[in-house]
Amino acid sequence: MADWSWSQMVSRPPSAHEGLVWSNRDKRTLLDKMLGLLDILAIKVPFYFVADAYYAAGKMVNGLLKQGNHLLTRVKSNAVAYAPAPQKKGRRKKGRPKTYGKKIKLTSLLANVKSMQQIASPVYGERNVTLRYRVCDLLWRPAGRLVRFVAVMHPTRGSCILMCTDTSLNAVDIIRLYGLRFKIECSFKQAVRQIGSFAYHFWMMDMIPLRYRNGNQYLHRKSADYRSRVKRKIRAYHAFIQAGVVAQGLLQYLAVVAPKLVWEQFGSWLRTIRPGIPPSEFVVANALRQTLPEFLLAPTKGDSLTKFIAERQDTQNMRIFRLAS
């Protein structure tokens, strides 16, 4: 594990499923677009791509392996795999030797729970939780190769079957890495409820509306002016989301670097304040909100951006500015 990093990606980022097709020659699927996004990142060290069951596909496996990376994902409950074909002794028959042996339903790995191995849960945040698991290396047709399956039984969350193309990675690390994927859900929650990163309600009046679930919008037959305006709207979407990502990153940075100062400026009370625990994005945002008027109105602040913002605030009607003054 020392020579590997792990990549936790959003399952379907806006640039991957924006629903616009600019050329009738563009045959890329969401899997192709995701592989393209990974290439743009230009990660120099090998990594594990941790994703949901949508990305458990041969195209994703082959694309990652080609770059020296690995896929770690959950597989669907109806997935099947195959045992390697037994090597027959004696005179070899003509033709290609058989590759796939007995067909195995992956849900069968969850049978006979008592025979499964037990471990203390390696998932972050879980204490006093015991997991049961079973490991099995089988041939998977979409990948055309041997992969590692880990059937996991959680006492309260149910069961799932994980798959990793790296057969040298042990089951505990596979479970731990897949558990890290759910941290992104916490980030989504804060991005939606606290930052508003996905509250982009921009609209182009001339854009042709589509019915719900009507598929992609094909633009290769539209005028150059229409295509240009649609591109401008999409750029506004992306810029808005990127600004939200930057704002969220700054809140998390301040929470880690200056937690004491944040709590001092919070100006409220929380029953869950605990020493050594960084404040949430909500707490940091509230602390910044409380200190913003003082920062803008301080006479020592002489930079142009501060003056630009302060001069355009109605300090007489805004209560928080009256308190600061």
Side-chain angles (χ1 to χ4, degrees):
M1 289 294 293
D3 297 329
W4 285 77
S5 65
W6 61 275
S7 177
Q8 178 177 300
M9 304 297 296
V10 180
S11 295
R12 300 187 186 182
S15 55
H17 75 289
E18 58 195 13
L20 300 174
V21 181
W22 301 94
S23 171
N24 60 347
R25 294 183 296 273
D26 187 358
K27 305 299 182 182
R28 294 176 302 165
T29 65
L30 288 177
L31 300 178
D32 295 317
K33 292 181 180 180
M34 177 56 75
L35 289 171
L37 289 176
L38 291 175
D39 288 338
I40 292 173
L41 293 176
I43 301 175
K44 301 300 182 181
V45 296
F47 61 84
Y48 294 103
F49 180 74
V50 184
D52 60 18
Y54 178 83
Y55 293 95
K59 181 179 289 187
M60 205 71 196
V61 170
N62 296 327
L64 289 167
L65 292 176
K66 186 178 179 181
Q67 302 297 327
N69 306 312
H70 282 287
L71 175 67
L72 197 165
T73 181
R74 183 176 61 84
V75 295
K76 297 179 180 179
S77 59
N78 61 349
V80 297
Y82 296 83
Q87 298 294 328
K88 294 184 178 180
K89 297 180 180 180
R91 187 176 178 181
R92 179 177 173 272
K93 295 182 179 181
K94 294 182 179 180
R96 183 178 178 181
K98 191 176 181 180
T99 302
Y100 297 97
K102 181 182 178 182
K103 183 177 180 180
I104 300 172
K105 292 183 178 180
L106 293 179
T107 52
S108 66
L109 299 178
L110 296 168
N112 195 4
V113 176
K114 293 183 179 180
S115 67
M116 301 172 75
Q117 300 182 64
Q118 297 187 48
I119 55 166
S121 176
V123 179
Y124 74 96
E126 288 195 337
R127 299 292 184 272
N128 302 319
V129 176
T130 301
L131 301 181
R132 292 179 179 268
Y133 73 96
R134 178 177 285 115
V135 184
C136 192
D137 293 345
L138 297 170
L139 290 169
W140 193 47
R141 273 195 187 277
R145 56 176 285 148
L146 201 69
V147 299
R148 175 154 292 180
F149 292 100
V150 181
V152 185
M153 188 76 76
H154 193 283
T156 58
R157 299 181 181 179
S159 60
C160 70
I161 301 174
L162 306 180
M163 184 272 292
C164 183
T165 55
D166 184 3
T167 55
S168 66
L169 189 63
N170 64 62
V172 176
D173 285 331
I174 290 175
I175 297 170
R176 181 179 62 85
L177 287 178
Y178 190 77
L180 289 173
R181 179 181 171 272
F182 292 96
K183 282 191 173 183
I184 202 171
E185 301 300 333
C186 298
S187 297
F188 272 138
K189 181 179 178 180
Q190 294 295 333
V192 171
R193 300 185 182 181
Q194 181 60 36
I195 311 298
S197 301
F198 301 98
Y200 45 85
H201 297 294
F202 312 134
W203 185 247
M204 192 178 81
M205 294 297 294
D206 296 331
M207 191 168 185
I208 300 173
L210 295 177
R211 292 189 177 188
Y212 182 61
R213 296 184 180 275
N214 205 25
N216 295 329
Q217 183 166 178
Y218 294 87
L219 301 172
H220 54 279
R221 293 185 178 179
K222 304 297 181 183
S223 66
D225 179 63
Y226 182 82
R227 289 160 60 92
S228 176
R229 283 181 289 168
V230 172
K231 287 182 179 180
R232 182 173 178 268
K233 183 176 80 76
I234 295 300
R235 281 197 297 269
Y237 282 167
H238 293 170
F240 187 92
I241 294 174
Q242 291 297 328
V245 171
V246 172
Q248 188 171 1
L250 290 174
L251 294 180
Q252 293 174 349
Y253 174 80
L254 292 174
V256 174
V257 173
K260 183 178 179 181
L261 183 60
V262 169
W263 283 121
E264 289 175 353
Q265 302 296 331
F266 179 49
S268 184
W269 177 84
L270 283 178
R271 190 175 182 179
T272 55
I273 294 178
R274 291 173 290 174
I277 303 299
S280 66
E281 290 98 327
F282 169 79
V283 173
V284 180
N286 194 74
L288 290 174
R289 193 177 296 113
Q290 296 293 332
T291 57
L292 178 63
E294 296 179 10
F295 173 78
L296 294 177
L297 298 177
T300 57
K301 302 297 180 183
D303 60 275
S304 58
L305 179 60
T306 304
K307 289 182 179 180
F308 178 85
I309 296 175
E311 290 173 357
R312 284 159 178 76
Q313 306 302 315
D314 188 351
T315 57
Q316 299 301 319
N317 293 329
M318 293 180 65
R319 179 176 177 273
I320 196 167
F321 275 93
R322 292 202 306 271
L323 293 175
S325 60

